Amino acid sequence: SSGINAEWPLRPGETNAVFSVLEALLGGSQEEKSGALIESLNLLKEDTSINEENSYDLLSAIMCCTEEDDTELVSKALKVLNKFLVYQAQYMAPHCEEVVTKIVRAKCPMQHADSESLYQLLVMVYKTEAILNLIVPMLQHETYPVLLSVINLLYSTLKQNTPESQPMLESRLPALASAVCPQCSHVETNVRKQSIFCLVELLLIFGTEKVDALLEGLTVSQKKLVYLYYNRHQRNVR
């Protein structure tokens, strides 16, 4: 009847395509999951295949693949999530916590350029405030390697600071500094380095008067390191 058709906006062929991808992502072999991830890319590019009803199902199934032990599959799933943020941002917008958490917890050391572009997209889709609400507590509770992903996302968020987000960011300065400063003593070099860079970014955004007093949690040598990079940047922009 016409009533049923009104609620069923997809043609059967397209419905089958989405169904097959979901079936493989949720229960297929590694090879089938890999093929379904590639197929889901094609679905994302077509405006007709993804709708409000099935978008979350597809998003969830792709995010499940980020929990796999097969790092190649995880890497592919993260690339598909990247495209999801590009092509279907409106459907991802309500799922900030789930998407951000899954991405930073994914068991895959992404190439730096890949993770950077993914984090930039996260900030564009979910906005600075929502991201900070999630990651400031994670900075205090997560362990390596998830911690490094969280710090990288924070760095990306600070780099994309805008005049609109600056007042909100300033209101979080004490919380941010107290969450980041302890990580400058972390056993992992990359965690220490990215934490230092986050503090440098705060100095560049807000200036020494507002930030310096918040760096009291650092050792003398850590503070010297922060100012070394800060001064280097100031020299480079002159």
Side-chain angles (χ1 to χ4, degrees), residues 112 115-124 128 131-132 135 149-161 194 197-198 201 205:
H112 183 62
S115 61
E116 209 168 313
S117 73
L118 188 50
Y119 294 155
Q120 284 166 0
L121 282 165
L122 286 175
V123 179
M124 281 166 62
T128 302
I131 302 257
L132 290 181
I135 63 178
S149 299
V150 174
I151 292 170
N152 284 336
L153 177 53
L154 173 61
Y155 182 69
S156 202
T157 307
L158 296 175
K159 290 292 277 185
Q160 286 173 263
N161 173 57
Q194 285 304 103
F197 288 171
C198 284
E201 209 53 44
I205 296 167

Side-chain angles (χ1 to χ4, degrees), residues 3-20 22 43 46-58 88 91:
I4 291 173
N5 291 338
E7 294 171 13
W8 197 251
L10 296 185
R11 294 194 299 279
E14 288 160 343
T15 309
N16 288 349
V18 174
F19 175 81
S20 299
L22 289 172
L43 294 175
E46 295 170 17
D47 285 342
T48 50
S49 294
I50 311 296
N51 58 33
E52 212 165 331
E53 232 169 36
N54 65 25
S55 62
Y56 181 71
D57 299 328
L58 186 60
Q88 307 286 347
Y91 293 133

